[in-house]
Amino acid sequence: MSFATRDGRGWMPDYLVSIDSGKCIGCGRCFKVCGRHVMILKGINEEGDLVELDSDEDDEIEKKVMVMNDEGACIGCGACARVCPANCQTHAPAVAEGA
Ligand code: SF4
Ligand code: SF4
């Protein structure tokens, strides 16, 4: 599989594959620049469990972190990597078919 821009120039997508929750500061910058709903902001409670931010457990949230929501929707634009201040994202280039 080859990838191209609108006018046919070669383009190598760089997909978001994971976010290090230990480094993420939950700033939300990556969420704002992504148009594909690949990530979602969640809370970590006192027990270290991930919880929804709109749940009744809001009082117990110790920290907010960005987590993967729909990784298959990523188009590999790299916008999220450019705005992350914590260097906590891992990206991987697209793999050509048969490689
Ligand atoms: S690389 Fe682009 S599409 Fe993929 S998660 Fe980051 S901002 Fe969203
Ligand atoms: S930009 Fe980086 S630090 Fe901020 S929420 Fe996204 S992954 Fe976490």
Side-chain angles (χ1 to χ4, degrees):
M1 192 188 301
S2 62
F3 302 91
T5 66
R6 184 179 174 186
D7 68 2
R9 278 172 281 178
W11 158 250
M12 180 54 74
D14 199 23
Y15 300 124
L16 176 65
V17 292
S18 66
I19 300 169
D20 184 336
S21 60
K23 290 186 185 171
C24 176
I25 59 172
C27 67
R29 290 179 198 179
C30 55
F31 182 84
K32 285 182 190 160
V33 299
C34 180
R36 302 286 301 168
H37 306 291
V38 176
M39 304 154 278
I40 190 166
L41 196 60
K42 294 220 173 180
I44 296 182
N45 67 15
E46 291 168 342
E47 284 80 41
D49 300 323
L50 280 177
V51 293
E52 303 291 332
L53 285 176
D54 57 359
S55 75
D56 296 337
E57 298 183 64
D58 268 10
D59 311 348
E60 299 167 18
I61 288 171
E62 302 249 300
K63 179 186 170 185
K64 292 177 183 175
V65 288
M66 197 65 67
V67 297
M68 301 302 283
N69 177 50
D70 185 7
E71 63 186 81
C74 179
I75 58 171
C77 67
C80 53
R82 288 193 290 278
V83 298
C84 180
N87 193 28
C88 52
Q89 302 172 6
T90 301
H91 289 250
V95 177
E97 238 171 43

